Amino acid sequence: MHKIRNLILRAILLATLLCCLTHRADAQKFSLSTNMLEWANFGTVNVEAGMSLSQHVSLHLGGKYNPWKFNTQSGMPVYNNQTTAYLGCRYWLWYVNSGWWLGARVRYLDFQETGVLRPKLFEGRSVGAGLLFGYTFMLNEHLNLELGGGAWGGRHLEYARYRTVSSRELLDSGARNFFFIDELSLSIMYVF
């Protein structure tokens, strides 16, 4: 389980390093951003680093982490725990970090969630790829506001669904394919 996750994370890091080493260093634009909607999702810590490869193409490496668990007044647990890593690229119709963009990414997700919309417990590990789109507003020389959305699909390497957290009565398990519309973003971006 951890071997596959470590292999995926190493592959993402190696691909990022290769892109950095093969890219010319003059007039690069780097960015750091965070999605405010993810912070509203039970405090999911998230960051994305971007690097322009040309006038219209940028590379993005990001991650999300949420270890928090909460209880409702009735004592029911509510959480959306996750560890996510992704590597992607974007094509900008105008210029990098400004205007409309289309993107693609590969992603790894280790998750456990319950109580958000129902008392069932879902947990597993997933790998896949997704498509995204959005628009980035230039607020000033260094600060941008980004709106976006997207979907991803792939394979649940491990997946289990339980009736409740306390009972751990297994309803369904196994590896399976999936497709989700899930990537909504309202991000603040700092451009270097």
Side-chain angles (χ1 to χ4, degrees):
M1 177 165 120
H2 294 291
K3 288 181 181 180
I4 293 173
R5 176 174 48 185
N6 288 338
L7 182 64
I8 292 169
L9 292 175
R10 286 180 185 164
I12 290 173
L13 181 61
L14 179 62
T16 303
L17 288 174
L18 288 174
C19 286
C20 291
L21 293 174
T22 60
H23 182 61
R24 290 178 34 181
D26 57 337
Q28 288 183 348
K29 291 250 183 182
F30 295 95
S31 65
L32 280 176
S33 64
T34 188
N35 184 352
M36 304 314 288
L37 297 179
E38 288 292 342
W39 285 98
N41 179 16
F42 297 102
T44 302
V45 177
N46 67 95
V47 66
E48 179 177 282
M51 178 179 78
S52 63
L53 300 177
S54 71
Q55 178 180 336
H56 295 287
V57 178
S58 61
L59 180 71
H60 297 265
L61 176 67
K64 303 175 190 177
Y65 181 67
N66 185 329
W68 324 119
K69 294 186 179 184
F70 305 95
N71 287 321
T72 62
Q73 289 180 349
S74 64
M76 186 177 100
V78 176
Y79 51 89
N80 188 10
N81 298 152
Q82 65 173 299
T83 302
T84 302
Y86 60 86
L87 175 67
C89 64
R90 291 183 184 176
Y91 178 79
W92 300 78
L93 299 180
W94 189 31
Y95 292 105
V96 169
N97 298 327
S98 176
W100 290 103
W101 52 267
L102 301 169
R105 71 168 60 148
V106 292
R107 181 166 141 180
Y108 170 82
L109 169 65
D110 190 341
F111 67 95
Q112 187 179 46
E113 68 177 53
T114 187
V116 178
L117 298 175
R118 56 203 168 272
K120 293 182 176 122
L121 170 66
F122 298 88
E123 60 184 12
R125 292 180 307 113
S126 307
V127 293
L131 297 175
L132 305 107
F133 67 95
Y135 190 88
T136 300
F137 299 91
M138 296 174 63
L139 302 177
N140 63 37
E141 182 181 352
H142 294 288
L143 198 59
N144 291 351
L145 177 66
E146 186 170 272
L147 303 173
W152 80 300
R155 182 95 175 145
H156 288 305
L157 302 174
E158 294 177 7
Y159 176 82
R161 184 170 54 115
Y162 303 93
R163 186 169 305 281
T164 63
V165 175
S166 57
S167 75
R168 287 287 184 156
E169 178 187 338
L170 186 64
L171 297 175
D172 191 13
S173 68
R176 63 174 47 150
N177 296 328
F178 68 89
F179 178 79
F180 295 119
I181 296 175
D182 75 334
E183 196 66 37
L184 292 177
S185 65
L186 172 61
S187 299
I188 300 295
M189 175 191 290
Y190 186 83
V191 180
F192 297 91

mmCIF file of all heavy atoms in Angstrom, residues 98-116:
data_model
loop_
_atom_site.group_PDB
_atom_site.id
_atom_site.type_symbol
_atom_site.label_atom_id
_atom_site.label_comp_id
_atom_site.label_asym_id
_atom_site.label_seq_id
_atom_site.Cartn_x
_atom_site.Cartn_y
_atom_site.Cartn_z
ATOM 1 N N SER A 98 -2.962 34.234 -16.602
ATOM 2 C CA SER A 98 -3.916 35.287 -16.928
ATOM 3 C C SER A 98 -4.941 34.783 -17.944
ATOM 4 O O SER A 98 -4.584 34.263 -18.987
ATOM 5 C CB SER A 98 -3.171 36.490 -17.508
ATOM 6 O OG SER A 98 -4.086 37.473 -17.900
ATOM 7 N N GLY A 99 -6.218 34.934 -17.632
ATOM 8 C CA GLY A 99 -7.282 34.598 -18.572
ATOM 9 C C GLY A 99 -7.717 33.136 -18.508
ATOM 10 O O GLY A 99 -7.531 32.446 -17.518
ATOM 11 N N TRP A 100 -8.327 32.667 -19.613
ATOM 12 C CA TRP A 100 -8.862 31.303 -19.701
ATOM 13 C C TRP A 100 -7.745 30.277 -19.810
ATOM 14 O O TRP A 100 -6.737 30.523 -20.441
ATOM 15 C CB TRP A 100 -9.773 31.165 -20.924
ATOM 16 C CG TRP A 100 -11.059 31.911 -20.788
ATOM 17 C CD1 TRP A 100 -11.374 33.104 -21.377
ATOM 18 C CD2 TRP A 100 -12.192 31.531 -20.019
ATOM 19 N NE1 TRP A 100 -12.638 33.486 -21.017
ATOM 20 C CE2 TRP A 100 -13.171 32.531 -20.181
ATOM 21 C CE3 TRP A 100 -12.489 30.440 -19.202
ATOM 22 C CZ2 TRP A 100 -14.414 32.485 -19.566
ATOM 23 C CZ3 TRP A 100 -13.729 30.391 -18.592
ATOM 24 C CH2 TRP A 100 -14.666 31.401 -18.778
ATOM 25 N N TRP A 101 -7.971 29.098 -19.200
ATOM 26 C CA TRP A 101 -7.016 27.997 -19.297
ATOM 27 C C TRP A 101 -7.739 26.662 -19.312
ATOM 28 O O TRP A 101 -8.861 26.533 -18.824
ATOM 29 C CB TRP A 101 -6.001 28.038 -18.159
ATOM 30 C CG TRP A 101 -6.591 28.121 -16.781
ATOM 31 C CD1 TRP A 101 -6.845 29.259 -16.065
ATOM 32 C CD2 TRP A 101 -7.022 27.030 -15.948
ATOM 33 N NE1 TRP A 101 -7.404 28.942 -14.846
ATOM 34 C CE2 TRP A 101 -7.518 27.587 -14.751
ATOM 35 C CE3 TRP A 101 -7.038 25.653 -16.104
ATOM 36 C CZ2 TRP A 101 -8.014 26.802 -13.712
ATOM 37 C CZ3 TRP A 101 -7.525 24.873 -15.065
ATOM 38 C CH2 TRP A 101 -8.012 25.450 -13.894
ATOM 39 N N LEU A 102 -7.088 25.666 -19.904
ATOM 40 C CA LEU A 102 -7.533 24.271 -19.905
ATOM 41 C C LEU A 102 -6.397 23.450 -19.316
ATOM 42 O O LEU A 102 -5.226 23.703 -19.605
ATOM 43 C CB LEU A 102 -7.823 23.798 -21.329
ATOM 44 C CG LEU A 102 -8.873 24.579 -22.093
ATOM 45 C CD1 LEU A 102 -8.863 24.165 -23.564
ATOM 46 C CD2 LEU A 102 -10.238 24.357 -21.490
ATOM 47 N N GLY A 103 -6.719 22.468 -18.501
ATOM 48 C CA GLY A 103 -5.663 21.706 -17.847
ATOM 49 C C GLY A 103 -5.943 20.220 -17.791
ATOM 50 O O GLY A 103 -7.073 19.769 -17.975
ATOM 51 N N ALA A 104 -4.878 19.485 -17.529
ATOM 52 C CA ALA A 104 -4.959 18.040 -17.320
ATOM 53 C C ALA A 104 -3.999 17.702 -16.194
ATOM 54 O O ALA A 104 -2.992 18.386 -15.995
ATOM 55 C CB ALA A 104 -4.577 17.294 -18.590
ATOM 56 N N ARG A 105 -4.316 16.643 -15.432
ATOM 57 C CA ARG A 105 -3.435 16.251 -14.337
ATOM 58 C C ARG A 105 -3.586 14.769 -14.016
ATOM 59 O O ARG A 105 -4.615 14.165 -14.319
ATOM 60 C CB ARG A 105 -3.693 17.081 -13.093
ATOM 61 C CG ARG A 105 -5.000 16.783 -12.402
ATOM 62 C CD ARG A 105 -5.130 17.388 -11.022
ATOM 63 N NE ARG A 105 -5.041 18.819 -10.988
ATOM 64 C CZ ARG A 105 -5.695 19.582 -10.114
ATOM 65 N NH1 ARG A 105 -6.470 19.042 -9.214
ATOM 66 N NH2 ARG A 105 -5.571 20.871 -10.132
ATOM 67 N N VAL A 106 -2.545 14.219 -13.414
ATOM 68 C CA VAL A 106 -2.593 12.884 -12.836
ATOM 69 C C VAL A 106 -2.631 13.078 -11.326
ATOM 70 O O VAL A 106 -2.065 14.048 -10.801
ATOM 71 C CB VAL A 106 -1.395 11.994 -13.266
ATOM 72 C CG1 VAL A 106 -1.472 11.674 -14.740
ATOM 73 C CG2 VAL A 106 -0.081 12.631 -12.917
ATOM 74 N N ARG A 107 -3.300 12.142 -10.645
ATOM 75 C CA ARG A 107 -3.566 12.374 -9.225
ATOM 76 C C ARG A 107 -3.569 11.070 -8.442
ATOM 77 O O ARG A 107 -4.005 10.034 -8.948
ATOM 78 C CB ARG A 107 -4.929 13.052 -9.133
ATOM 79 C CG ARG A 107 -5.410 13.419 -7.780
ATOM 80 C CD ARG A 107 -6.587 14.360 -7.938
ATOM 81 N NE ARG A 107 -7.625 14.109 -6.979
ATOM 82 C CZ ARG A 107 -8.761 14.780 -6.903
ATOM 83 N NH1 ARG A 107 -9.021 15.733 -7.761
ATOM 84 N NH2 ARG A 107 -9.643 14.498 -6.004
ATOM 85 N N TYR A 108 -3.085 11.154 -7.189
ATOM 86 C CA TYR A 108 -3.143 10.051 -6.236
ATOM 87 C C TYR A 108 -3.945 10.532 -5.034
ATOM 88 O O TYR A 108 -3.752 11.655 -4.558
ATOM 89 C CB TYR A 108 -1.743 9.634 -5.775
ATOM 90 C CG TYR A 108 -1.779 8.667 -4.620
ATOM 91 C CD1 TYR A 108 -1.985 7.325 -4.845
ATOM 92 C CD2 TYR A 108 -1.636 9.119 -3.313
ATOM 93 C CE1 TYR A 108 -2.049 6.434 -3.786
ATOM 94 C CE2 TYR A 108 -1.697 8.230 -2.248
ATOM 95 C CZ TYR A 108 -1.900 6.899 -2.486
ATOM 96 O OH TYR A 108 -1.971 6.021 -1.436
ATOM 97 N N LEU A 109 -4.840 9.687 -4.507
ATOM 98 C CA LEU A 109 -5.688 10.060 -3.384
ATOM 99 C C LEU A 109 -5.793 8.901 -2.409
ATOM 100 O O LEU A 109 -6.086 7.771 -2.797
ATOM 101 C CB LEU A 109 -7.092 10.432 -3.889
ATOM 102 C CG LEU A 109 -8.206 10.613 -2.858
ATOM 103 C CD1 LEU A 109 -7.927 11.807 -1.959
ATOM 104 C CD2 LEU A 109 -9.545 10.775 -3.556
ATOM 105 N N ASP A 110 -5.549 9.195 -1.140
ATOM 106 C CA ASP A 110 -5.772 8.257 -0.037
ATOM 107 C C ASP A 110 -6.872 8.913 0.802
ATOM 108 O O ASP A 110 -6.686 10.031 1.289
ATOM 109 C CB ASP A 110 -4.479 8.104 0.768
ATOM 110 C CG ASP A 110 -4.541 6.981 1.776
ATOM 111 O OD1 ASP A 110 -5.650 6.546 2.126
ATOM 112 O OD2 ASP A 110 -3.469 6.551 2.225
ATOM 113 N N PHE A 111 -8.042 8.279 0.965
ATOM 114 C CA PHE A 111 -9.181 8.975 1.565
ATOM 115 C C PHE A 111 -9.929 8.133 2.589
ATOM 116 O O PHE A 111 -9.863 6.907 2.593
ATOM 117 C CB PHE A 111 -10.165 9.435 0.487
ATOM 118 C CG PHE A 111 -10.868 8.296 -0.219
ATOM 119 C CD1 PHE A 111 -12.110 7.872 0.196
ATOM 120 C CD2 PHE A 111 -10.279 7.667 -1.304
ATOM 121 C CE1 PHE A 111 -12.759 6.829 -0.448
ATOM 122 C CE2 PHE A 111 -10.915 6.630 -1.964
ATOM 123 C CZ PHE A 111 -12.155 6.205 -1.531
ATOM 124 N N GLN A 112 -10.657 8.848 3.459
ATOM 125 C CA GLN A 112 -11.574 8.257 4.425
ATOM 126 C C GLN A 112 -12.580 9.359 4.763
ATOM 127 O O GLN A 112 -12.197 10.421 5.226
ATOM 128 C CB GLN A 112 -10.832 7.809 5.679
ATOM 129 C CG GLN A 112 -11.697 7.049 6.645
ATOM 130 C CD GLN A 112 -10.910 6.598 7.864
ATOM 131 O OE1 GLN A 112 -10.158 7.364 8.440
ATOM 132 N NE2 GLN A 112 -11.102 5.356 8.246
ATOM 133 N N GLU A 113 -13.865 9.114 4.503
ATOM 134 C CA GLU A 113 -14.873 10.141 4.750
ATOM 135 C C GLU A 113 -16.156 9.544 5.288
ATOM 136 O O GLU A 113 -16.521 8.418 4.955
ATOM 137 C CB GLU A 113 -15.157 10.950 3.488
ATOM 138 C CG GLU A 113 -15.839 10.162 2.398
ATOM 139 C CD GLU A 113 -16.176 11.017 1.190
ATOM 140 O OE1 GLU A 113 -15.273 11.679 0.666
ATOM 141 O OE2 GLU A 113 -17.355 10.994 0.785
ATOM 142 N N THR A 114 -16.831 10.316 6.136
ATOM 143 C CA THR A 114 -18.122 9.909 6.680
ATOM 144 C C THR A 114 -18.876 11.118 7.208
ATOM 145 O O THR A 114 -18.274 12.134 7.527
ATOM 146 C CB THR A 114 -17.973 8.885 7.815
ATOM 147 O OG1 THR A 114 -19.276 8.411 8.179
ATOM 148 C CG2 THR A 114 -17.320 9.488 9.042
ATOM 149 N N GLY A 115 -20.190 10.966 7.298
ATOM 150 C CA GLY A 115 -21.020 11.952 7.954
ATOM 151 C C GLY A 115 -21.237 13.243 7.205
ATOM 152 O O GLY A 115 -21.982 14.082 7.675
ATOM 153 N N VAL A 116 -20.588 13.421 6.079
ATOM 154 C CA VAL A 116 -20.757 14.669 5.355
ATOM 155 C C VAL A 116 -22.190 14.770 4.838
ATOM 156 O O VAL A 116 -22.899 15.719 5.122
ATOM 157 C CB VAL A 116 -19.731 14.789 4.209
ATOM 158 C CG1 VAL A 116 -19.937 16.066 3.424
ATOM 159 C CG2 VAL A 116 -18.320 14.700 4.750
#
